[in-house]
Amino acid sequence: MANILAVGIATIDIINRVNGYPHEDDEIRAISQSIRRGGNATNTLVVLSQLGHQCAWSGVLIDESDAAIVKHDLDVHQISYRFCKQLSTGKLPTSYITVSKSTGSRTIVHYRDCPELDFHFFSQQDLAGFDWIHFEGRNVDELDKMLRWLKTHYPHLPCSLEIEKPREGIEKLFPLADVLLFSKPYVLSQGYDSAELFLQSLSLPSLMTCTWGETGAWLKNHDVLIFSPAFPPNDVIDTLAAGDTFNAGIISGMIKQLTDEETLSFACRLAGKKCGQEGLENLL
Ligand code: ADP
């Protein structure tokens, strides 16, 4: 088991479940509503902690009423937030999410009034006790400095980088991470409609993965490309955070030194299980 730090955001997710996704200008009633902590980095940590790892989050935590939702959830999963920058003013990022019962799709409107974690704060942290650092691919210029600083000060500390969506200049970060976790929307934005062709187009020493929804996912290590199909649950209930769950499976598989095939298959199984249930609790 390992000590893992994830750098990224925690959000408040307000989730409305509906029978079918509405047309524009419709008025419909939600079947149910839940309010919970979200955010890619912290989602991945919740899964990693269930897989037996010691987890900590580094991000911006604002001292406002909704922070209790985030802190409570992190406490429940024994995820430390002592590497967070704590601010007394502002509002935590909030995601308004509509989940369709008929398809399992999730449509998200995001609002944030919260600064991104800055390099200066990150560089003041003592990372000596960590075995792995995972980054959400956002705030490119600060992240560039963080990744370079990590390579200089902790050259043997492996790091993974999630590339979820296109952001200006994000490609300059690719050579700085040991593991690159790509999503379908990013790949489509680059003009590729195939994960395979996209991964083959990159010649980097990093291990790379690319998820493709209910199709499954690919992994490329040096020049070897492998595929795992998805593992569909009996009923697709909620695909929110499937990618974050997959990423946790990849990180854990690599830490446990599973083979690439075992790691990819494990990550797809875990993500498939997540799609068959609401939320991230009791995935094992
Ligand atoms: P994201 O949550 O970032 O949109 P994806 O939708 O690509 O990510 O899903 C990540 C992984 O989750 C996929 O590679 C697949 O293994 C699994 N997955 C996603 N949707 C389904 C589904 N409907 N059934 C089974 N597995 C799924």
Side-chain angles (χ1 to χ4, degrees):
M1 294 308 131
N3 284 319
I4 303 171
L5 179 76
V7 181
I9 61 169
T11 65
I12 307 297
D13 286 355
I14 300 175
I15 304 162
N16 287 316
R17 290 193 172 69
V18 296
N19 277 319
Y21 192 76
H23 297 288
E24 187 170 347
D25 220 24
D26 269 359
E27 180 179 332
I28 60 164
R29 192 171 280 207
I31 317 163
S32 65
Q33 186 183 72
S34 58
I35 300 179
R36 64 189 185 207
R37 181 214 47 77
N40 293 6
T42 41
N43 281 342
T44 295
L45 287 176
V46 164
V47 180
L48 284 166
S49 110
Q50 290 179 50
L51 293 169
H53 302 288
Q54 285 278 326
C55 296
W57 168 49
S58 185
V60 177
L61 190 53
I62 295 174
D63 185 20
E64 47 108 346
S65 55
D66 282 346
I69 298 167
V70 171
K71 286 182 181 172
H72 174 73
D73 189 57
L74 297 176
D75 288 340
V76 165
H77 293 97
Q78 295 165 328
I79 296 166
S80 165
Y81 37 89
R82 72 187 175 90
F83 293 88
C84 282
K85 182 169 185 169
Q86 310 237 5
L87 298 181
S88 54
T89 55
K91 193 88 187 97
L92 284 166
T94 305
S95 297
Y96 300 88
I97 303 166
T98 306
V99 177
S100 163
K101 190 178 171 191
S102 59
T103 62
S105 74
R106 82 290 184 281
T107 305
I108 306 173
V109 177
H110 192 60
Y111 175 74
R112 53 178 297 136
D113 178 19
C114 172
E116 296 278 1
L117 189 75
D118 54 280
F119 165 69
H120 179 68
F121 178 86
F122 180 78
S123 65
Q124 289 175 324
Q125 309 307 306
D126 177 6
L127 306 181
F130 289 105
D131 304 301
W132 191 285
I133 315 282
H134 173 65
F135 293 90
E136 252 182 78
R138 46 192 310 122
N139 195 20
V140 172
D141 289 339
E142 294 300 292
L143 206 49
D144 185 40
K145 289 185 243 173
M146 292 182 205
L147 287 162
R148 289 179 190 282
W149 180 85
L150 207 59
K151 285 273 166 276
T152 310
H153 292 84
Y154 299 92
H156 302 298
L157 185 53
C159 69
S160 48
L161 174 65
E162 178 203 38
I163 314 289
E164 193 195 26
K165 50 182 85 144
R167 294 183 194 272
E168 205 180 325
I170 200 161
E171 291 73 21
K172 73 177 172 192
L173 306 180
F174 294 177
L176 302 172
D178 302 296
V179 177
L180 293 165
L181 305 157
F182 292 102
S183 74
K184 183 175 175 180
Y186 175 78
V187 172
L188 294 176
S189 78
Q190 300 306 296
Y192 288 88
D193 61 2
S194 144
E196 262 175 299
L197 289 179
F198 171 74
L199 291 176
Q200 275 163 350
S201 76
L202 296 174
S203 54
L204 291 163
S206 343
L207 184 143
M208 297 175 246
T209 66
C210 183
T211 59
W212 214 259
E214 68 273 14
T215 303
W218 280 260
L219 182 153
K220 185 178 161 194
N221 193 359
H222 294 98
D223 281 337
V224 182
L225 189 65
I226 58 175
F227 168 71
S228 167
F231 292 82
N234 289 338
D235 289 313
V236 175
I237 307 285
D238 170 18
T239 61
L240 183 67
D244 304 331
T245 305
F246 173 90
N247 291 345
I250 294 289
I251 293 167
S252 187
M254 290 191 68
I255 287 170
K256 291 179 182 171
Q257 299 189 319
L258 303 184
T259 65
D260 290 346
E261 285 81 2
E262 287 167 342
T263 298
L264 183 62
S265 165
F266 173 68
C268 284
R269 265 180 214 280
L270 200 61
K273 179 145 191 227
K274 189 268 139 315
C275 293
Q277 66 170 56
E278 279 175 23
L280 295 170
E281 302 305 319
N282 305 314
L283 273 175
L284 294 184

